[in-house]
Amino acid sequence: MQVVVCSRPGEMALVERPTPPLAPGEARVAIRRIGICGTDIHAFGGNQPYFDYPRVLGHELGGEVVAVAADVDPALVGQAVYVIPYLHCGECRACRQGRTNCCQQLEVIGVHRDGGMAQTLNAPASHLVPVPGLSAEALALVECQAIGAHAVRRAQVAADELVVVVGAGPIGIGVLQVARSRGARVAMVDTNRDRLALCRDALGADAVWHAVEDDVTAEIERFNDGALADVVFDATGNPAAMNRGFDFAGHGGRYVLVSVVKAEIRFSDPEFHKKELTLLGSRNATREDFETVTHLMASGDLLTEPLITHRGRLKELPTLMPQWCAPDSGVVKAMVTLDAEPGRVES
């Protein structure tokens, strides 16, 4: 099978590898769509924590089950599925509490082990979820939107609260759409006017502000009757932006760090205590969050098509990835297509 390997930062290559045999409990997925996410971009650029090279990237995956191990229900074969890429141990304290997203032994497909930038992927059948009626592209976007859904659930966002999302990439857009489904008012902050326009015009953001050109703190107060935000989410992956986000949260507010960076985050302790802020980290997602996203997709309350700005094929990835990672690329979400060859039988 064809596989794209990231051998070191800035280097990718298309190689041929044998298709590995199925282990007990596994199913083989013919990959149909791969979403390129910030983790892939950071790994390609050498800026991703918890990462080793060489690695096959790819964890935003939609595909079709083409084979199963002997101990897996054969009815799964032929079904279109998304992949839950978080492999948890099931035994640590976090797992026993239902917080499988932050398992002590967590492995993420495409980060800690080889992922789905390949024609096929063997994965635990328990982590393959059929969703009839969703397109392959929608299935490949479930995971990144589930990260936003988890952050919103973790913050307990309520109707009529003012939510400020800093970072209008796919994760921030997930926060936007899920928070709006709860009845919250949502404002987006970014340095990219095109992304802000997308959030306002296509995705229903209640307000958009430029992170540099606008006085964001004053705009929040103007929009919220003199108060700062009830909830602030950072989805930038930028340490300076993450530090600044504390200023946007109001008294009694919550600040949720969805981004993860190789840096220290600093804040003023007197201001933190004066406001009695709640600081939350949000990592990955649980099955509940995935289900929230697919339900919102099915109802039309969570859109995916407007996010996809760039497309390519697997064999083109070594050339396309440096282009997509460029700051001026205009990428919101890049999507890789792998279609079954006419008349070919997968095995």
Side-chain angles (χ1 to χ4, degrees), residues 89-141:
C89 72
E91 298 176 355
C92 71
R93 187 171 181 81
C95 284
R96 295 197 307 271
Q97 293 174 337
R99 302 181 65 177
T100 55
N101 60 299
C102 56
C103 165
Q104 290 176 231
Q105 309 300 324
L106 187 71
E107 287 191 310
V108 180
I109 293 171
V111 178
H112 306 99
R113 62 169 64 184
D114 283 347
M117 287 186 180
Q119 289 179 306
T120 66
L121 174 72
N122 293 354
S126 58
H127 285 57
L128 306 177
V129 185
V131 187
L134 290 187
S135 69
E137 289 191 346
L139 291 171
L141 290 175

Side-chain angles (χ1 to χ4, degrees), residues 31 33-43 48 51 55-62 81-87 107-118 121 127-128 139-145 147 171 284 290 333:
I31 302 300
R33 297 292 188 276
I34 308 164
I36 304 300
C37 89
T39 298
D40 302 320
I41 291 171
H42 292 154
Q48 177 61 29
F51 199 84
R55 179 67 68 222
V56 179
L57 306 178
H59 63 273
E60 297 183 1
L61 307 170
V81 298
Y82 67 82
V83 178
I84 298 177
Y86 316 129
L87 306 181
E107 287 191 310
V108 180
I109 293 171
V111 178
H112 306 99
R113 62 169 64 184
D114 283 347
M117 287 186 180
L121 174 72
H127 285 57
L128 306 177
L139 291 171
L141 290 175
V142 172
E143 189 270 345
C144 73
Q145 298 300 282
I147 293 175
I171 302 301
N284 301 326
F290 281 83
K333 174 61 66 176

Side-chain angles (χ1 to χ4, degrees), residues 159-305:
D160 298 323
E161 288 192 307
L162 176 61
V163 169
V164 172
V165 182
V166 186
I171 302 301
I173 286 171
V175 174
L176 161 65
Q177 297 201 84
V178 177
R180 289 194 76 249
S181 77
R182 289 186 169 216
R185 296 171 298 141
V186 183
M188 304 296 292
V189 179
D190 203 288
T191 57
N192 187 310
R193 289 288 186 190
D194 292 334
R195 289 192 176 197
L196 292 174
L198 169 70
C199 292
R200 179 190 61 222
D201 300 337
L203 301 172
D206 296 280
V208 298
W209 301 309
H210 193 281
V212 177
E213 297 172 7
D214 295 327
D215 185 340
V216 176
T217 301
E219 293 291 348
I220 295 171
E221 291 176 327
R222 188 176 299 115
F223 190 77
N224 202 32
D225 297 325
L228 291 170
D230 298 298
V231 193
V232 178
F233 294 88
D234 180 88
T236 64
N238 180 291
M242 295 165 80
N243 289 338
R244 187 185 179 202
F246 287 91
D247 297 337
F248 302 154
H251 287 248
R254 289 97 76 200
Y255 185 27
V256 187
L257 298 180
V258 193
S259 300
V260 57
V261 293
K262 288 183 176 180
E264 293 184 356
I265 305 304
R266 300 176 180 273
F267 58 89
S268 167
D269 187 61
E271 284 295 310
F272 183 82
H273 276 80
K274 181 175 74 175
K275 293 180 179 179
E276 198 182 49
L277 293 182
T278 299
L279 177 62
L280 296 165
S282 182
R283 186 184 185 194
N284 301 326
T286 66
R287 187 175 290 260
E288 176 182 349
D289 306 309
F290 281 83
E291 291 173 353
T292 294
V293 166
T294 56
H295 290 155
L296 291 174
M297 285 180 173
S299 68
D301 293 317
L302 193 153
L303 305 179
T304 56
E305 183 62 26

